[in-house]
Every structure is written in C-alpha cells, then in structure tokens.
Amino acid sequence: MAAPSRTKKPERPWGIILLAMWEIWVGIQMVIVGLAVVSFSSTLVEGSTWRNIVFLIGLGYFVIGISALLLARGYMKGYESSRRRGRSVAKIAILWAILGVLFLPPTLAPDSPFWTIVGNVIILLYLGSDKVVAYFKGLSLS
C-alpha cells in the first residue's frame, strides 16, 4: 500500500513574523487606549453629546485593536484571508495618507503621512511577493 504523498508547507517568512509582532503591538495599544477612552467617557456629564462621541471613539479603538490582534493571528497561522485583508488595510492606509499629504502641511517628520505611505507600500508589495503568497497558500516553491 503506497503512502499518500504530502507536500511540506513552506517555512513562515521572517517578514510575516515581524508583521505579526507589529500587529500584536498595535492591537494591544489600541485595545488599552479604547478601554481607557471608554472609561473616561463615564466621567463626562450624563446624557451629553460629548460623552456619546468619546464613548464611540473608545469603542472604535477597541474594535480596531481586536481586529489587529486577529490579523496577527491570521498571519501566524498562514490564513490566506489575513494576507488579503492585510493588503486591503495597507491600501486604505495609503489612501488616507495621501489625503493627509494633500491637506496637512508638508513635513518629513516621523509623524508625516509620507512615512505612512512608504511603510504601507512596502507592506503591500511584501504581502504580494511570491514567497509570501506561497506560504499563505501552503505551496512549496521548490
């Protein structure tokens, strides 16, 4: 009886590990900020518009933080849907940063939208590279 042939899943690229670590760091920060802002909203005047706005902002941070943690999990598990979602997030960040370049004063400071564009273009290209696509699809390049 012949043993079934199995193809070995390719090794996880180091860049994916670094992206997952970055997403974990960002996700934890956003969850903490979201919880802090939601907590702060309870100190505002009951029924005020500001209280509702601050609460929704905190809730938004919390949800985005959880989403970042789930994206990191998907990177580490090798889910193709996470690779596609990571590329979509990078595209949206590039579009928002282009709007920032158009409406904010031009600087090359660390908080400049220019660096957001550069970083997300790198991520977009990396998540589309052959080695990374092969990892997420479970294919061996050899």
Side-chain angles (χ1 to χ4, degrees), residues 90-106:
K91 290 174 190 174
I92 292 168
I94 290 168
L95 291 175
W96 278 108
I98 289 171
L99 286 174
V101 166
L102 295 175
F103 295 109
L104 295 175

Side-chain angles (χ1 to χ4, degrees), residues 8-65:
K8 182 181 165 193
K9 184 166 179 152
E11 271 188 37
R12 183 180 304 120
W14 276 100
I16 295 300
I17 295 170
L18 294 176
L19 270 175
M21 288 173 43
W22 177 260
E23 288 296 328
I24 290 169
W25 176 249
V26 168
I28 289 171
Q29 284 180 331
M30 292 190 87
V31 165
I32 290 170
V33 167
L35 291 174
V37 171
V38 166
S39 176
F40 171 72
S41 73
S42 67
T43 66
L44 299 174
V45 176
E46 182 76 35
S48 72
T49 305
W50 285 110
R51 181 179 183 156
N52 296 334
I53 291 171
V54 170
F55 176 81
L56 289 175
I57 289 171
L59 187 63
Y61 266 93
F62 181 78
V63 168
I64 292 171

Side-chain angles (χ1 to χ4, degrees), residues 118-135:
V118 169
N120 281 290
V121 164
I122 291 169
I123 290 171
L124 189 63
L125 294 174
Y126 180 72
L127 287 176
S129 69
D130 292 339
K131 184 177 180 181
V132 173
V133 170
Y135 164 70

Side-chain angles (χ1 to χ4, degrees), residues 72-142:
R73 179 181 180 272
Y75 283 161
M76 294 305 287
K77 295 277 189 176
Y79 296 152
E80 172 64 17
S81 60
S82 292
R83 185 189 73 82
R84 287 191 312 268
R85 190 170 60 139
R87 286 178 54 94
S88 296
V89 168
K91 290 174 190 174
I92 292 168
I94 290 168
L95 291 175
W96 278 108
I98 289 171
L99 286 174
V101 166
L102 295 175
F103 295 109
L104 295 175
T107 63
L108 281 181
D111 61 345
S112 168
F114 172 78
W115 298 115
T116 301
I117 293 169
V118 169
N120 281 290
V121 164
I122 291 169
I123 290 171
L124 189 63
L125 294 174
Y126 180 72
L127 287 176
S129 69
D130 292 339
K131 184 177 180 181
V132 173
V133 170
Y135 164 70
F136 281 102
K137 293 200 185 272
L139 305 172
S140 180
L141 287 178
S142 54

